Amino acid sequence: MIRTETVTDVTEETFDAEVLGAALSVLVKFTADWCGPCRQLAPVLREIAEEEAGRLRVVQVDVDRQSPISVRYGVLATPTLMVFRAGEPVASIVGARPKRKLLQELADVLDRT
């Protein structure tokens, strides 16, 4: 899995605290090492994590290593992006996108944060 300092890896043990209990909205990227589009999306999410640090936290879940989380939220494809607010999923996006398009799709979520 691609790792950066601005995108935290979460596990089954840390998911509830890192995502469901977070004060900010959290964008969860469900990803896998073998997923090409996931690798394409990594630098985009790193930039978004840096630019929106005060409004949005970005984390990632490895679907192969943390499959119970993927099953719990019905993730069937990678990359899947889910935004959680106050412990509840409020938006879901499947597939990689350029940064501008992704920010457009997240605008409603970010505006409410």
Side-chain angles (χ1 to χ4, degrees):
M1 196 160 50
I2 297 172
R3 290 176 172 78
T4 66
E5 64 277 357
T6 56
V7 178
T8 305
D9 295 339
V10 293
T11 64
E12 194 173 353
E13 293 77 26
T14 62
F15 187 85
D16 288 355
E18 297 279 341
V19 177
L20 303 182
L24 295 176
S25 293
V26 181
L27 173 64
V28 179
K29 174 188 174 192
F30 289 89
T31 187
D33 289 336
W34 46 262
C35 172
C38 298
R39 288 191 296 275
Q40 291 176 316
L41 196 55
V44 170
L45 291 181
R46 183 186 69 241
E47 289 177 20
I48 290 172
E50 291 168 358
E51 294 168 9
E52 300 295 338
R55 298 193 305 166
L56 182 72
R57 184 154 186 256
V58 181
V59 302
Q60 61 185 3
V61 173
D62 185 308
V63 297
D64 293 325
R65 294 183 183 100
Q66 307 301 325
S67 60
I69 299 169
S70 303
V71 170
R72 182 180 353 167
Y73 293 101
V75 174
L76 301 174
T78 56
T80 291
L81 306 175
M82 281 190 173
V83 179
F84 288 78
R85 184 182 302 120
E88 297 294 326
V90 295
S92 181
I93 301 167
V94 178
R97 287 149 171 70
K99 181 181 172 186
R100 190 179 85 230
K101 175 117 171 87
L102 183 55
L103 284 172
Q104 288 172 346
E105 292 181 47
L106 292 172
D108 188 44
V109 173
L110 292 175
D111 288 343
R112 290 192 225 153
T113 307

